[in-house]
Amino acid sequence: MKKGLLLGFLVLPLLVSANEISAPESPTQIVHSQKNNQYTEISSEILSNYQNHYLSLDTYSQGHFSLRLYRQTLDPIYKNGIAVDLYRIANKLNYFANDINTPEKIFLYSQKHLANYKQKQSIRSHIRYETTKNRPEYFYLGLNLISAMARANEYGLKSAQDSKLRAILDSYDFSKYVTDKKMIRAWAAQLANQVYWLKQLNQADYIKEFTNAFKAAYPDRDDKNLNRQQYENKLYGLTHIILADSMYYQTLVSERKHQWIYTYFRNNINTILLRAKPDILAEVGVCFMLANKPNDPVVAQLKQALVKKYDSNAKMIPSVNGSNDLENGEHRNTLAIMFLNWQGPHMAPTADKQSDMVDSLPYGLIAKN
């Protein structure tokens, strides 16, 4: 009996060891693993840098950073930043509902924003001023009212005066903006956001009209004739169609639904890597993650290109002119954090499902239902 018992104990470890044996990693697998570790490490370094300097950011950047990182991690550490974002939205919607609510007031409000663009010297600002000067109400409708209503909607909230704000939207024909090729060449990313937000708000559906107009404004055969600003505007339009459809990192998107965009990215990746700035490289990468394509060859190329632009001393990815300003670089680096260490989209935070994150509503915001 003792011999049998002893033999049993001798055999069992041998069997367990045999089951635990796995094939050695190939050189390719080792390199791939090392690169993934490098991407994760850089993402963590950028994240730590922004967390350590969080209070130096303005309130908009605090909200932008916190909401996106929460949708990736569901970490309650971002609660204060989300609260900042909620109060910003509430203040804006209250202001519009109470003070900027007639055609005359909307016109005067918009003229002030238009004047700001007239003073700016960049090519982009000049295009936007010239394109929008005869329809200045777009500054109010597209760039402020719709975006604030959409953000509240993502939280599962709405303005207490929602019907009043929707009546204002109803009084304007938004289709004239989204189908205008000149407007698209000035505001491609913004219009992409707005057509998806209007649909998500159950206000209007201009997605098909906008998509057709976008393709007409930026036919692929004309890429070689686009200057850098216009080429980047096109790319931003393409990425924001995907980002907006995901409700900004809350759901996966269907590659088939947006096949023309993913085909464009794959066919033109070399040009994108050559001509696009880091913000766009990160956004294109995130678009592939949102389609659940982390192993697409394009993803590896984008990550490698982004890592080459990383400043290990500043712990961030600088701007194209070399600036390491944290606030101005928040959008770019938040996207890099997400792309280099993707953790998946989450429908969050919403008042009904993550009530602990949205537990103290600012005045003027109420639950949608």
Side-chain angles (χ1 to χ4, degrees), residues 211-249:
T211 301
N212 290 337
F214 183 94
K215 291 178 179 179
Y218 286 118
D220 295 348
R221 65 180 179 274
D222 288 350
D223 280 3
K224 61 183 179 297
N225 299 320
L226 299 176
N227 61 28
R228 184 160 192 160
Q229 187 278 326
Q230 275 297 288
Y231 186 64
E232 290 186 339
N233 189 64
K234 173 179 179 174
L235 293 178
Y236 271 131
L238 294 173
T239 59
H240 279 67
I241 290 171
I242 305 295
L243 302 183
D245 192 24
S246 77
M247 296 185 70
Y248 274 84
Y249 325 112

Side-chain angles (χ1 to χ4, degrees), residues 117 124-125 127-129 131-132 138-139 143 181-194 210 218 230 233 237:
Y117 274 88
R124 182 180 69 177
S125 296
I127 293 172
R128 290 179 172 178
Y129 173 78
T131 302
T132 322
Y138 177 74
F139 287 100
L143 302 181
K181 290 189 285 187
K182 290 183 179 179
M183 284 291 289
I184 291 170
R185 294 188 187 110
W187 305 97
Q190 291 75 16
L191 288 167
N193 282 337
Q194 290 145 21
F210 170 74
Y218 286 118
Q230 275 297 288
N233 189 64

